[in-house]
């Protein structure tokens, strides 16, 4: 199934990919407030750990294979982090250092996640920067080498309160260390259609870089990649989001009854769908009519990759059919004639006067974007997600410099 992102130019794709990495990070911001409200802070912390540990090893290996940088060393770990929704460029501003193949480190010049959480108080900072990061950093490294360990040099709560950099970590691979054991949810997530989905390979003859097999760089220059590579990157980042969401749902369902889990799942999707649509609409310079909003739906992560979500657009109407995403219970399964709120959040990011008319069955339906006389208020879930600095974050130009052993 050809990627829907093939309709974009190389220049548009170079803008799109970092946007997708950033909005993937906002899945947590969209969902965790509702976990706290329904289940409490301690359960939220447990859910976050299982969410990332049950997804990141799968999608990290996928990205390594896609861009041909598989290995067992620190460089491979760092390259994976640069293309991970858990560490979106600049918003989570990782600065890397290399000592040798098995020793390195990083610090964060800017941690958008910390700045989101600090106003909530020290307990929440400790939950994120201690309870969640310790196991999830190691789980991410497992994708490259199960004997890798990430350990803090310093981390928040910040003392003094304006301490910079926000945190610093060492990364060590030691053959004498016991292997990190994956959590049980990882095996469950590994059996999903998202985990095993085959995507079109990168065309090595396309102009630009077709892989990341060369030197580690300080900042990934997405414009240097070929159009084919950027299409594959965009599809892989969307799969990262689906895998993270599926892992999130596994953790929530272990702690909540079905109605509560359903409320949390839909609230997370609505909040994420609206903010992501707003950012993509601005980044791609789309218009503000019904057909533009339908095109935004076509390009939105909830509808991609095309091999995962069966959706086609005709003017201002999109048609959805049953697909692997429905088999997994992914985002698209929360949309349809009886559940329009996520679709409304997307089109109203274009213009609050827009709405959707949806008809069909639960997994086979059409949605037509229409203009109404009255402007709809912003959905509460979108307003909650907007609390994150990532909602309004702006990328800046960076020079991409090679990093070598110090």
């Amino acid at each position: 199934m050809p990627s829907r992102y093939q309709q974009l130019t190389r220049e548009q794709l170079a803008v799109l990919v970092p946007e997708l990495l950033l909005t993937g990070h906002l899945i947590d911001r969209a969902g965790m407030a509702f976990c706290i409200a329904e289940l409490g802070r301690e359960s939220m912390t447990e859910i976050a750990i299982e969410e990332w540990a049950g997804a990141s090893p799968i999608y990290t290996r996928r990205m390594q294979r896609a861009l041909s940088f598989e290995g067992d060393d620190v460089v491979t770990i760092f390259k994976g982090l640069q293309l991970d929704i858990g560490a979106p460029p600049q918003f989570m501003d990782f600065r890397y250092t290399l000592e040798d193949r098995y020793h390195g480190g990083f610090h964060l010049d800017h941690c958008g996640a910390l700045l989101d959480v600090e106003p909530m108080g020290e307990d929440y900072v400790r939950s994120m920067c201690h309870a969640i990061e310790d196991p999830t950093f190691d789980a991410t490294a497992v994708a490259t080498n199960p004997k890798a360990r990430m350990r803090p040099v310093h981390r928040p709560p910040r003392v003094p309160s304006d301490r910079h950099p926000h945190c610093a970590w060492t990364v060590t691979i030691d053959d004498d260390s016991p292997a990190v054991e994956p959590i049980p949810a990882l095996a469950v997530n590994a059996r999903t259609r998202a985990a095993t989905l085959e995507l079109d390979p990168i065309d090595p003859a396309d102009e630009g870089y077709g892989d990341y097999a060369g030197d580690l760089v300080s900042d990934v220059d997405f414009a240097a990649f070929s159009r084919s590579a950027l299409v594959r990157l965009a599809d892989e980042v969307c799969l990262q989001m689906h895998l993270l969401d599926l892992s999130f749902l596994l953790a929530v369902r272990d702690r909540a009854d079905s109605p509560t889990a359903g409320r949390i799942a839909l609230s997370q999707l609505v909040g994420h769908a609206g903010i992501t649509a707003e950012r993509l609409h601005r980044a791609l310079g789309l218009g503000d009519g019904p057909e533009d909003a339908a095109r935004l739906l076509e390009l939105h992560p909830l509808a991609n990759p095309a091999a995962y979500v069966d959706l086609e657009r005709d003017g201002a109407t999109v048609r959805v059919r049953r697909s692997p995403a429905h088999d997994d219970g992914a985002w698209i399964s929360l949309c349809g004639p009886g559940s329009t709120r996520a679709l409304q959040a997307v089109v109203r990011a274009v213009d609050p006067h827009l709405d959707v008319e949806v008809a069909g069955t639960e997994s086979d339906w059409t949605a037509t974007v229409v203009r109404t006389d009255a402007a709809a208020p912003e959905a509460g879930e979108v307003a909650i997600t907007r609390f994150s600095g990532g909602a309004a974050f702006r990328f800046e130009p960076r020079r991409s410099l090679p990093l070598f052993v110090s």
Side-chain angles (χ1 to χ4, degrees):
M1 176 70 69
S3 171
R4 293 189 191 93
Y5 294 124
Q6 288 182 352
Q7 65 185 274
L8 300 178
T9 67
R10 184 180 176 189
E11 291 73 22
Q12 287 176 312
L13 287 162
V15 172
L16 174 73
V17 172
E19 284 288 342
L20 291 174
L21 286 166
L22 175 55
T23 61
H25 190 78
L26 298 182
I27 292 171
D28 258 4
R29 297 299 174 266
M32 290 309 173
F34 300 98
C35 291
I36 294 168
E38 296 275 9
L39 304 171
R41 180 173 59 82
E42 290 186 2
S43 289
M44 177 276 295
T45 299
E46 294 169 355
I47 289 167
I49 292 168
E50 293 177 22
E51 170 194 29
W52 290 97
S56 64
I58 300 170
Y59 65 62
T60 298
R61 292 188 190 103
R62 287 190 60 97
M63 191 66 82
Q64 289 174 351
R65 291 193 297 270
L67 289 185
S68 302
F69 64 91
E70 293 175 280
D72 65 354
D73 58 7
V74 169
V75 167
T76 306
I77 293 172
F78 289 168
K79 287 181 179 180
L81 283 170
Q82 289 177 321
L83 301 172
D84 188 321
I85 56 175
Q90 300 186 27
F91 184 68
M92 304 291 288
D93 199 8
F94 282 66
R95 303 289 90 195
Y96 299 101
T97 57
L98 297 171
E99 296 177 28
D100 55 44
R101 287 191 64 211
Y102 299 117
H103 298 84
F106 60 82
H107 65 268
L108 268 69
D109 273 351
H110 176 276
C111 180
L114 173 66
L115 298 181
D116 286 348
V117 171
E118 277 186 327
M120 300 170 68
E122 186 171 312
D123 286 346
Y124 282 93
V125 171
R126 288 190 178 278
S127 289
M128 182 181 75
C129 298
H130 294 247
I132 295 172
E133 285 188 352
D134 282 352
T136 57
F137 269 157
D138 282 351
T140 297
V142 161
T144 298
N145 194 319
K147 294 181 178 293
R149 299 290 186 275
M150 300 189 188
R151 295 294 179 264
V153 178
H154 69 82
R155 56 178 162 178
R158 289 193 282 172
V159 180
S161 60
D162 60 350
R163 183 171 189 175
H164 216 83
H166 289 168
C167 66
W169 295 71
T170 61
V171 182
T172 303
I173 297 172
D174 184 351
D175 286 338
D176 293 331
S177 294
V180 174
E181 294 296 326
I183 67 170
L186 182 64
V188 178
N189 222 14
R191 294 192 293 270
T192 62
R193 300 291 297 276
T196 57
L197 193 71
E198 293 288 336
L199 296 174
D200 289 341
I202 295 168
D203 181 359
D206 205 3
E207 180 182 357
Y209 291 128
D211 58 48
Y212 193 7
D215 294 329
L216 174 71
V217 295
S218 58
D219 295 274
V220 175
D221 180 7
F222 292 99
F225 283 104
S226 69
R227 185 169 174 273
S228 177
L230 288 166
V231 167
R232 179 62 183 269
L233 271 165
D235 279 341
E236 288 289 349
V237 175
C238 287
L239 278 180
Q240 288 189 16
M241 297 190 212
H242 290 296
L243 285 162
L244 187 69
D245 175 58
L246 293 173
S247 192
F248 171 78
L249 294 178
L250 284 173
V252 170
R253 288 170 182 151
D254 278 347
R255 293 164 175 82
D257 59 31
S258 183
T260 301
R263 287 195 301 273
I264 292 172
L266 182 59
S267 295
Q268 181 243 61
L269 173 58
V270 172
H272 180 263
I275 295 297
T276 296
E278 181 180 296
R279 289 195 63 93
L280 296 188
H281 178 255
R282 180 175 62 241
L284 295 175
L286 301 179
D288 59 2
E291 190 164 332
D292 299 293
R295 187 170 184 228
L296 184 59
L297 270 171
E298 181 185 28
L299 297 173
H300 198 284
L302 75 84
N304 285 282
Y308 189 57
V309 184
D310 187 343
L311 177 148
E312 61 181 333
R313 180 179 66 88
D314 182 9
T317 298
V318 296
R319 171 71 182 271
V320 170
R321 299 179 181 87
R322 187 167 186 88
S323 60
H326 287 94
D327 297 339
D328 283 347
W331 280 328
I332 199 68
S333 68
L334 299 179
C335 303
S339 183
T340 60
R341 296 188 64 243
L343 302 175
Q344 289 171 325
V346 172
V347 303
R348 287 168 179 166
V350 174
D351 185 329
H353 293 86
L354 297 180
D355 202 348
V356 288
E357 295 178 348
V358 186
T361 66
E362 186 176 299
S363 59
D364 191 330
W365 46 268
T366 60
T368 300
V369 185
V370 297
R371 187 175 294 281
T372 64
D373 292 333
E378 181 172 75
E381 297 91 338
V382 176
I384 287 172
T385 309
R386 195 180 299 285
F387 169 80
S388 171
F393 186 80
R394 299 284 183 149
F395 293 104
E396 62 181 27
R398 292 278 182 92
R399 291 187 65 193
S400 181
L401 301 173
L403 297 177
F404 303 109
V405 171
S406 57

